[in-house]
Amino acid sequence: MNANALSHVIKHVSKRAAVLTATAGLLTAGLLTGPAAASSPAPAGRPAGTLAACAYYNGTALTVYGQRGDRVSQVQCLLANRRYLPWGDVTGYFGPKTRAAVKKFQSRHHLTADGKVDRKTWRALYTA
């Protein structure tokens, strides 16, 4: 394995470890919940309306139709938290349902409704 490939692998493993560490911290603190929690009553000790934590991806890279992976899962989780997408559609695949939900979200937040999750859309998803 050459140095460039090794560097890429180390970077990927480091990112994954950071996400897992953050997830473990949220689990320990009782803040990370599964998808069902967003549609069910809040457990004792947690205020009603508390959103499920989305810890798939932390960034703002362009995310578009046809992609798969953690970025897409993060978009879908954030959309599901805001009731633009059903929890059953958090699949990690950016298909027609996700694109429609993104466009609806963008339109309601005065963004260009093109179905592409760019920096402005990421910012709005995290702050809405």
Side-chain angles (χ1 to χ4, degrees), residues 8-116:
H8 177 73
V9 168
I10 290 170
K11 189 176 188 181
H12 178 74
V13 169
S14 295
K15 279 185 177 180
R16 187 62 99 175
V19 169
L20 291 173
T21 301
T23 302
L26 290 170
L27 282 169
T28 302
L31 297 176
L32 184 65
T33 61
S39 61
S40 61
R46 194 171 98 200
T50 301
L51 303 177
C54 299
Y56 297 98
Y57 169 77
N58 182 21
T60 59
L62 182 64
T63 307
V64 297
Y65 184 82
Q67 291 180 327
R68 296 179 185 275
D70 290 344
R71 279 195 337 240
V72 176
S73 294
Q74 184 72 11
V75 169
Q76 292 171 330
C77 181
L78 293 166
L79 288 167
N81 264 338
R82 286 145 186 81
R83 305 204 189 289
Y84 286 90
L85 190 69
W87 279 107
D89 291 334
V90 179
T91 62
Y93 172 67
F94 198 129
K97 292 179 182 179
T98 301
R99 182 170 51 189
V102 169
K103 286 181 178 182
K104 189 175 192 179
F105 175 85
Q106 289 171 323
S107 177
R108 290 188 179 172
H109 288 85
H110 311 289
L111 300 166
T112 302
D114 59 6
K116 298 175 183 177

